[in-house]
Amino acid sequence: MYRRIFLSLSLAATALCQLDLTSCSSTDLHCIENRISASHILTELPNFVTYPIQDDPFYATPANISQAKPGQILKVEHHTNVSLYDIPPGQSLSRIMYTSVDNSGQVVPATAAILWPFTPKPFRNSDKFPLVAWAHGTSGIVRQCAVSIQRNLQYDFRAVFTLASMGYAVVLADYVGLGSDQAFNYLAFKLHANDVVYSVMAAQSAFPQLSKDWVSFGHSEGGGVAWAIGERQAIRPIPGFLGTIAAAPPPFPIANTAPVGSSVFTAFLAFTISRLNGLNLTAIFNPVPLQVLQYVQSIGGCNDAGFAAFGTFTAEDIYSNTSWPLSQEAVDFARDYSVGSRPLGGPMLIIQGSADTVVIPEGSALGFKNTCASQKNNVSIEYVSVAGQDHNPSLYASQRIWLQWIEDRFNGVKIKPGCQHNNLSSPIGNVQLAERFLVEYEKPWITIYSSTFLPESLQAGHLGFVEPNTSAPTTSRSN
Ligand SMILES: *[C@@H]1O[C@H](CO)[C@@H](O)[C@H](O)[C@H]1NC(C)=O
Ligand SMILES: *[C@@H]1O[C@H](CO)[C@@H](O)[C@H](O)[C@H]1NC(C)=O
Ligand SMILES: *[C@@H]1O[C@H](CO)[C@@H](O)[C@H](O)[C@H]1NC(C)=O
Ligand SMILES: *[C@@H]1O[C@H](CO)[C@@H](O)[C@H](O)[C@H]1NC(C)=O
Ligand SMILES: *[C@@H]1O[C@H](CO)[C@@H](O)[C@H](O)[C@H]1NC(C)=O
Ligand SMILES: *[C@@H]1O[C@H](CO)[C@@H](O)[C@H](O)[C@H]1NC(C)=O
Ligand SMILES: *[C@@H]1O[C@H](CO)[C@@H](O)[C@H](O)[C@H]1NC(C)=O
């Protein structure tokens, strides 16, 4: 159970004063914890439908998981109370708990939301709801960061509300460990790909009105997941797959280079590498930065609390060993969990803002190039570079392209063979760059990744983007 944070107006007012990201020294535990709770209260709590998540019995694992195989339904909430969510008028929501598998092949509980359009977009005389499986970006690393418990479902009109407005039913997997009572393995793309694929099977079994055909679509962390789904479909396909869209994907979740950066996302990833590959956290972190990340997790803090944990700290402030990405554990993780250079079970559209400061374009460009080269162009990949747009803004600027691509797949439009690189740019110019509106009404001045939040010097290259270091000692590459 998380330590509860109580919200009061006076506390919120005090909190606002404490959000100066330069205010604490990296050894002042008390100061940093105050800054974290201030950020959590102001920017995260208002967007949660239930806090703490344990108060919603939907997220409790039922006893009948013991007999379940992957992709089976454990619970169905047909009509979620939409007055608790900020979804658009006319749309409705369901939630399911189902089973997926973890890194050791164990059956584990997972949760997902299904966002329903007012009416389904008709395709080829079908009255089914065309299914898009959404793979979300980084939301945090504990249960509370499930997107199904966020009033705006995290991506609002950037993607999921727009898809439902067009008549698609959107299945939003939370990924095991976000929502369900499990450890979360941040950036382990192929594990999240299991969670998404099984969410499709489970949703289809619970709701026969969903189409058998489906497209996957993800952004940021979810872009890597969408890519991993394409790779999974080449070796362990489930029926109905029409293709995948990887927006702002980091094919290489960590660069095996030194020194490490100061991004809290990389620090979040260290927890996964500790769990999956045995990285010793006390040997790489300075004591207070490790304690404050543990504090973030103990209060059910997500991305914004994580940003407040590090503020403007340098890598030297955070780590006692800034070379830890060269460690055998990090090299093994990069080898086992990067995507690219493998066959794909369907066509892929890559969307990448050319000015993305969170997942920089070099990573997806390299993953694209490596995959086309290693597969001798025996794939169908279209890489669309969105000129001048940043991480989230690129989703808006390319909306017409991805909506058309999804529609073409459901219409059975012939797939273009081979690899194409296209540039999308405005013939008018002077375009808007910032994302200036929010669905999180009570979150007045910040959205995650917005260019207004982090100082510019901290924005570059938050996630690894170069290839795993092949000169570092490795064992054989596994799937
Ligand atoms: C678990 O129980 C729910 C109903 O409570 C049912 O819908 C589901 O099929 C069951 N799953 C398994 C694997 O037995
Ligand atoms: C839905 O949630 C609202 C707001 O909390 C509450 O007033 C209402 O009673 C709930 N409706 C149902 C059917 O539970
Ligand atoms: C790659 O790994 C080797 C061996 O661990 C190391 O010496 C080298 O510095 C690494 N390369 C980069 C670019 O960090
Ligand atoms: C982890 O590192 C710390 C600090 O270097 C050390 O004291 C501890 O023994 C290590 N733990 C393991 C399990 O190796
Ligand atoms: C830092 O980590 C690297 C990679 O594991 C290791 O080779 C190096 O010895 C460590 N440095 C110190 C001072 O422990
Ligand atoms: C091309 O890829 C498909 C799908 O992975 C595979 O079935 C086929 O054998 C490949 N063709 C060649 C010439 O490699
Ligand atoms: C797209 O833009 C990049 C970078 O400006 C350029 O290198 C590339 O040639 C362009 N590609 C096409 C197809 O126009």
Side-chain angles (χ1 to χ4, degrees):
M1 185 61 95
Y2 300 128
R3 280 188 252 170
R4 273 173 200 265
I5 295 274
F6 291 99
L7 180 62
S8 74
L9 281 179
S10 63
L11 190 56
T14 320
L16 194 54
C17 308
Q18 291 167 344
L19 259 184
D20 175 2
L21 290 179
T22 62
S23 61
C24 304
S25 119
S26 63
T27 53
D28 188 342
L29 180 65
H30 185 68
C31 179
I32 304 169
E33 287 189 350
N34 279 342
R35 186 168 75 187
I36 290 167
S37 42
S39 170
H40 180 60
I41 288 166
L42 274 172
T43 66
E44 298 187 325
L45 288 188
N47 198 31
F48 293 141
V49 172
T50 306
Y51 174 88
I53 191 169
Q54 291 88 341
D55 283 358
D56 183 345
F58 171 79
Y59 294 94
T61 308
N64 72 351
I65 189 168
S66 58
Q67 309 97 44
K69 292 198 276 292
Q72 280 195 294
I73 283 284
L74 298 175
K75 275 184 202 182
V76 182
E77 180 183 73
H78 285 92
H79 300 288
T80 303
N81 186 345
V82 291
S83 69
L84 302 170
Y85 286 82
D86 294 339
I87 66 173
Q91 297 181 13
S92 41
L93 206 59
S94 305
R95 291 187 298 181
I96 55 174
M97 181 174 268
Y98 63 100
T99 49
S100 184
V101 288
D102 68 9
N103 59 307
S104 60
Q106 287 289 109
V107 170
V108 283
T111 53
I114 302 165
L115 181 63
W116 298 95
F118 193 53
T119 59
K121 184 174 174 66
F123 282 106
R124 299 196 270 182
N125 300 323
S126 167
D127 59 358
K128 303 269 185 185
F129 286 75
L131 192 168
V132 175
W134 175 248
H136 70 79
T138 306
S139 63
I141 59 171
V142 292
R143 294 180 73 185
Q144 185 70 50
C145 311
V147 299
S148 67
I149 207 166
Q150 294 185 20
R151 287 165 36 145
N152 71 344
L153 302 175
Q154 191 198 22
Y155 268 83
D156 54 63
F157 286 102
R158 291 169 192 156
V160 292
F161 292 176
T162 305
L163 288 163
S165 301
M166 292 303 296
Y168 297 98
V170 187
V171 177
L172 297 92
D174 283 326
Y175 308 148
V176 166
L178 305 179
S180 62
D181 185 10
Q182 297 290 312
F184 173 59
N185 291 311
Y186 179 48
L187 292 176
F189 300 135
K190 68 181 177 190
L191 299 182
H192 310 332
N194 289 336
D195 306 339
V196 174
V197 165
Y198 290 127
S199 78
V200 170
M201 286 172 64
Q204 287 171 332
S205 73
F207 297 97
Q209 62 270 50
L210 286 169
S211 67
K212 290 295 163 213
D213 288 345
W214 58 284
V215 164
S216 52
F217 180 8
H219 176 256
S220 196
E221 176 187 29
V225 178
W227 197 317
I229 292 168
E231 293 182 348
R232 191 185 192 281
Q233 283 296 121
I235 52 175
R236 272 177 300 153
I238 70 159
F241 180 63
L242 300 175
T244 196
I245 304 178
F252 315 106
I254 184 165
N256 300 125
T257 54
V260 69
S262 59
S263 161
V264 75
F265 296 150
T266 306
F268 280 167
L269 176 58
F271 283 78
T272 303
I273 301 177
S274 168
R275 194 176 310 108
L276 296 181
N277 304 88
L279 183 66
N280 183 345
L281 296 177
T282 41
I284 65 161
F285 277 98
N286 287 324
V288 169
L290 181 57
Q291 278 174 283
V292 298
L293 284 188
Q294 287 159 343
Y295 177 73
V296 168
Q297 294 172 58
S298 75
I299 62 169
C302 301
N303 283 358
D304 291 314
F307 290 146
F310 284 180
T312 54
F313 298 160
T314 64
E316 287 72 24
D317 292 333
I318 299 163
Y319 300 105
S320 57
N321 187 338
T322 57
S323 297
W324 70 263
L326 299 177
S327 66
Q328 187 63 53
E329 293 85 352
V331 169
D332 288 349
F333 178 83
R335 177 201 64 216
D336 292 345
Y337 290 98
S338 296
V339 294
S341 302
R342 295 197 189 94
L344 295 170
M348 177 159 72
L349 171 66
I350 299 172
I351 306 257
Q352 175 71 58
S354 78
D356 193 324
T357 55
V358 178
V359 177
I360 61 179
E362 284 81 348
S364 58
L366 189 60
F368 169 67
K369 195 182 103 203
N370 289 353
T371 304
C372 297
S374 74
Q375 301 308 308
K376 303 189 166 57
N377 275 359
N378 181 27
V379 278
S380 168
I381 312 180
E382 185 180 350
Y383 185 103
V384 174
S385 175
V386 188
Q389 295 288 326
D390 205 332
H391 194 56
N392 290 324
S394 60
L395 280 176
Y396 296 90
S398 65
Q399 181 175 306
R400 180 181 70 77
I401 303 297
W402 48 261
L403 282 175
Q404 186 67 53
W405 196 89
I406 295 170
E407 187 172 330
D408 286 351
R409 299 291 76 74
F410 278 100
N411 275 326
V413 171
K414 205 165 170 293
I415 292 158
K416 291 182 207 151
C419 292
Q420 273 111 44
H421 185 295
N422 295 310
N423 290 338
L424 200 63
S425 63
S426 163
I428 307 294
N430 268 337
V431 303
Q432 177 66 288
L433 296 174
E435 199 180 21
R436 293 202 183 275
F437 50 89
L438 296 173
V439 175
E440 301 117 283
Y441 307 104
E442 294 172 51
K443 188 174 169 183
W445 54 280
I446 291 179
T447 185
I448 56 165
Y449 309 132
S450 80
S451 46
T452 52
F453 183 63
L454 288 173
E456 217 159 86
S457 60
L458 290 182
Q459 289 178 15
H462 284 338
L463 296 176
F465 69 94
V466 298
E467 285 178 286
N469 182 348
T470 47
S471 55
T474 56
T475 50
S476 70
R477 185 171 174 134
S478 68
N479 246 312

